[in-house]
Amino acid sequence: MRVRPARPGDAETLRTTVSRAREATVFDDIGAPLLDVSAAGVREAAVGAECCFLMEDDDGPVGVAIAHPDDEGSEAELLALWVHPEHVGEGVTEELLARVASALADRGVDTLRASVSDDRPSAREFYRAHGFDRRAVRRGPAGDEAVVVADVETVA
């Protein structure tokens, strides 16, 4: 498998992959629909995000990670981290997360932020295992969510 920056032209391939996984959207880490996987939606996300990586094997995409730095530039938000269900547990998530963190560090970003639903203990544990600490709790679209942060050098 290989990781590379996502390009607007990847939209249709990613849309097809997500659809074959029987998912209608790429979900963010709180389970809310984030990325419209129509060709236009994926193209828009790939163009709009400063940091978008795709992992693929010989058959096509198996995962995507999207992050975007805040206006101040010292912190970025992880917008999406998706892996095809057939590739869960193969290190895809970790590789994508590390690639995003490394790219953000190269841009001078110090901190990576994510939101995790309080009712998703596996997601909370994933982030904790990758160096994220709880910063705050806030009311989100899907209920209470924890805002977790990590130093990008720790994640990378």
Side-chain angles (χ1 to χ4, degrees):
M1 283 194 255
R2 59 203 166 275
V3 177
R4 65 170 175 80
R7 299 180 293 266
D10 293 325
E12 183 57 30
T13 322
L14 184 57
R15 185 201 64 73
T16 301
T17 301
V18 173
S19 296
R20 285 186 183 147
R22 302 197 188 292
E23 297 178 23
T25 59
V26 171
F27 287 84
D28 68 7
D29 46 19
I30 62 167
L34 172 71
L35 180 60
D36 167 10
V37 294
S38 66
V42 176
R43 189 176 307 108
E44 179 182 339
V47 169
E50 299 240 350
C51 190
C52 187
F53 290 94
L54 193 67
M55 181 171 273
E56 56 192 359
D57 63 11
D58 293 337
D59 296 324
V62 299
V64 64
I66 303 172
H68 191 73
D70 295 345
D71 290 337
E72 306 83 50
S74 65
E75 191 165 308
E77 183 168 8
L78 183 63
L79 299 172
L81 185 59
W82 177 83
V83 175
H84 191 287
E86 291 177 4
H87 294 279
V88 170
E90 296 178 6
V92 174
T93 315
E94 290 78 5
E95 179 64 28
L96 285 168
L97 186 60
R99 184 61 68 96
V100 163
S102 178
L104 291 170
D106 290 347
R107 290 179 168 92
V109 173
D110 300 317
T111 306
L112 182 58
R113 178 182 69 247
S115 299
V116 185
S117 174
D118 269 352
D119 65 354
R120 300 227 13 238
S122 61
R124 286 195 321 267
E125 181 53 37
F126 171 83
Y127 286 108
R128 187 175 17 256
H130 290 86
F132 286 78
D133 294 312
R134 183 179 282 221
R135 174 188 278 170
V137 176
R138 68 180 178 203
R139 173 68 68 187
D144 286 345
E145 59 187 26
V147 177
V148 295
V149 295
D151 182 307
V152 292
E153 297 293 336
T154 303
V155 176

